[in-house]
Amino acid sequence: VTVRLEVEFGERSYPVHVGAGLLANIASLVRDAVGPKAGRAALIVDGNVPTEVFSQVVESLQGSSFEVSLVQPPRGETCKKMEWVEDALVTLTRSRHERADVVVTLGGGAVCDLGGFVAATYRRGVPVVHCPTTLLAMVDASVGGKTGVNLIVDGTLKKNMVGAFWQPRAVIGDVEVLRSLPDRELRAGLGECLKHGLLGGHAGMPELFDWTVARLADFAARKPDTLEQLIAKNIHVKKTIVSGDEREEAGDADGGRALLNLGHTFGHVIEAETELLHGESVALGLIAASVASEKLGLVSGLSGRVRAAVEAAGLPTSTSLPDITDLIGAMRDDKKVMGGELRVIVPVEAFRAGVVHPPLAAVRAGWEAVRK
Ligand SMILES: NC(=O)c1ccc[n+]([C@@H]2O[C@H](COP(=O)([O-])OP(=O)(O)OC[C@H]3O[C@@H](n4cnc5c(N)ncnc54)[C@H](O)[C@@H]3O)[C@@H](O)[C@H]2O)c1
């Protein structure tokens, strides 16, 4: 079965297709998304995507009269650099890619972010279709239109400092490509799924957290049907939250898109200070944020459930970290902090989240809960 969801942004609305074996027919889905005028497809692909998947995509596109040009940046996060943006733009220019032609990304969140940014900037914007190949990219990075790359400033990595909001024309999530994904990467994706579970109340799905926790073993075993359901439910949460606040402009009272940063104010610092993956850092951040929320009296008895879920997903529940004072300093440097005041997203009752400017004691308690 294929599930089709619609992400609603007025005239920039687009479909997300989730199913098994969709990439075999990618050309018809791309054609539906970009119309008859597109003659070229620039395929930006991650080197860890298995050759048979990659060949299938190229053959389908060529078989449907797309002229295909290839962009093959380094694997994973290393591709999110200005030099690979330029490399891709040069390839597009050389292959005479035109305004109506399409960029297709085939890879994890890193390739979605790079390829989306390339599409947003080439000739001031050309269509892009994302084919996410990691769980994290399927449930998160491919939907919502945030694109961008990292900068290194005076030796320090600044994540996602350069970018644009650029909605794709379609997203194609083929669960079969998850077969080759390393276990650790699959579990990292589950970290973002637990986050969406904690936000389910904003999308009419307050049961999502418990639903997810009850099926963690099935996801780890990669049962296609349950993965499909998981991905569709998670996209529903993400699209519901982003479509009300496309450019993350909502204030604290609404929260809007910022709510998706649940676990990230702590998580970004953990990601920078450790070797942990993004999804692993976010999972720790969820524990910290729920402890902080309990300390503020906004929720009760949640942090134990979150910690148990993180553990059951095979994700770390604590890690070695620097002094808490330094961690709090690093949180203040996060680009989402306004005017030096800490702004943290925390879970509240009914599987919803809220924006708080917490006293240091609550933030400290959060850090103490995850610091080894
Ligand atoms: N734009 C957004 O809204 C958004 C949201 C969340 C995350 N992100 C970004 O996404 C990135 C993280 O995404 P990710 O976790 O997918 O990381 P990733 O793209 O680095 O992929 C993780 C690893 O899996 C490999 N891989 C990808 N597909 C594979 C497959 N099918 N089989 C085997 N290996 C495969 C990659 O080569 C890489 O080594 C970060 O840069 C983050 O900032 C963006």
Side-chain angles (χ1 to χ4, degrees):
V1 262
T2 304
V3 186
R4 183 191 153 115
L5 297 101
E6 193 75 17
V7 184
E8 276 139 44
F9 286 115
E11 59 187 19
R12 291 187 305 288
S13 299
Y14 50 93
V16 181
H17 309 273
V18 182
L22 294 176
L23 290 180
N25 277 316
I26 179 186
S28 68
L29 296 174
V30 172
R31 185 59 77 196
D32 286 350
V34 299
K37 281 198 195 139
R40 289 182 181 74
L43 183 61
I44 307 192
V45 60
D46 183 287
N48 283 331
V49 170
T51 324
E52 55 287 8
V53 175
F54 168 57
S55 319
Q56 194 181 41
V57 166
V58 173
E59 275 163 32
S60 173
L61 291 170
Q62 285 175 339
S64 169
S65 68
F66 282 103
E67 226 174 276
V68 177
S69 47
L70 280 184
V71 180
Q72 295 175 291
R75 297 160 197 222
E77 189 73 17
T78 352
C79 78
K80 285 181 54 170
K81 285 197 186 133
M82 287 304 285
E83 75 179 281
W84 300 110
V85 174
E86 187 168 4
D87 178 75
L89 293 171
V90 167
T91 303
L92 264 67
T93 310
R94 249 186 219 134
S95 62
R96 300 201 164 76
H97 202 88
E98 288 173 18
R99 291 292 294 273
D101 296 334
V102 62
V103 171
V104 177
T105 67
L106 180 65
V111 161
C112 288
D113 281 5
L114 168 75
F117 186 56
V118 167
T121 50
Y122 181 73
R123 296 190 169 207
R124 302 190 183 84
V126 295
V128 62
V129 171
H130 292 309
C131 305
T133 63
T134 64
L135 178 60
L136 189 140
M138 286 186 194
V139 299
D140 195 352
S142 59
V143 174
K146 278 193 182 179
T147 73
V149 296
N150 307 324
L151 280 187
I152 292 174
V153 180
D154 303 329
T156 308
L157 177 75
K158 299 280 183 187
K159 281 263 293 176
N160 303 325
M161 278 305 282
V162 185
F165 287 98
W166 191 246
Q167 300 297 340
R169 293 294 181 90
V171 177
I172 303 168
D174 184 345
V175 293
E176 279 184 10
V177 303
L178 297 179
R179 272 202 220 142
S180 56
L181 191 67
D183 286 337
R184 187 175 173 196
E185 295 290 349
L186 188 86
R187 291 194 296 265
L190 291 174
E192 294 282 3
C193 294
L194 291 175
K195 178 195 83 177
H196 286 148
L198 291 172
L199 296 170
H202 293 278
M205 285 186 171
E207 73 293 346
L208 181 59
F209 183 78
D210 292 328
W211 182 93
T212 307
V213 172
R215 286 163 184 77
L216 287 170
D218 292 344
F219 306 142
R222 302 175 197 224
K223 293 192 180 164
D225 290 3
T226 48
L227 278 177
E228 237 172 78
Q229 288 177 43
L230 175 72
I231 294 161
K233 286 175 190 289
N234 276 269
I235 291 172
H236 177 78
V237 173
K238 173 131 192 198
K239 74 164 193 136
T240 305
I241 293 175
V242 296
S243 62
D245 182 21
E246 184 175 6
R247 289 169 170 264
E248 201 165 332
E249 290 160 340
D252 283 1
D254 272 354
R257 195 165 180 151
L259 299 179
L260 291 163
N261 283 318
L262 178 59
H264 286 63
T265 328
F266 292 95
H268 282 150
V269 174
I270 297 168
E271 200 177 346
E273 294 289 343
T274 66
E275 296 293 303
L276 293 177
L277 301 175
H278 180 75
E280 293 170 335
S281 307
V282 167
L284 285 166
L286 295 176
I287 298 174
S290 54
V291 168
S293 185
E294 280 172 1
K295 191 88 182 164
L296 293 168
L298 297 172
V299 72
S300 71
L302 185 68
S303 68
R305 289 166 76 186
V306 173
R307 182 184 289 274
V310 168
E311 187 161 15
L315 290 159
T317 55
S318 66
T319 191
S320 303
L321 287 165
D323 270 8
I324 293 185
T325 317
D326 295 341
L327 294 169
I328 294 175
M331 283 171 109
R332 288 190 203 284
D333 286 345
D334 197 275
K335 68 179 186 299
K336 280 170 186 138
V337 173
M338 290 158 188
E341 193 187 9
L342 281 180
R343 181 171 183 261
V344 183
I345 314 301
V346 294
V348 299
E349 290 298 339
F351 292 102
R352 296 173 74 88
V355 183
V356 293
H357 299 268
L360 282 183
V363 179
R364 272 189 167 271
W367 280 119
E368 275 158 12
V370 294
R371 186 169 169 272
K372 243 184 217 155

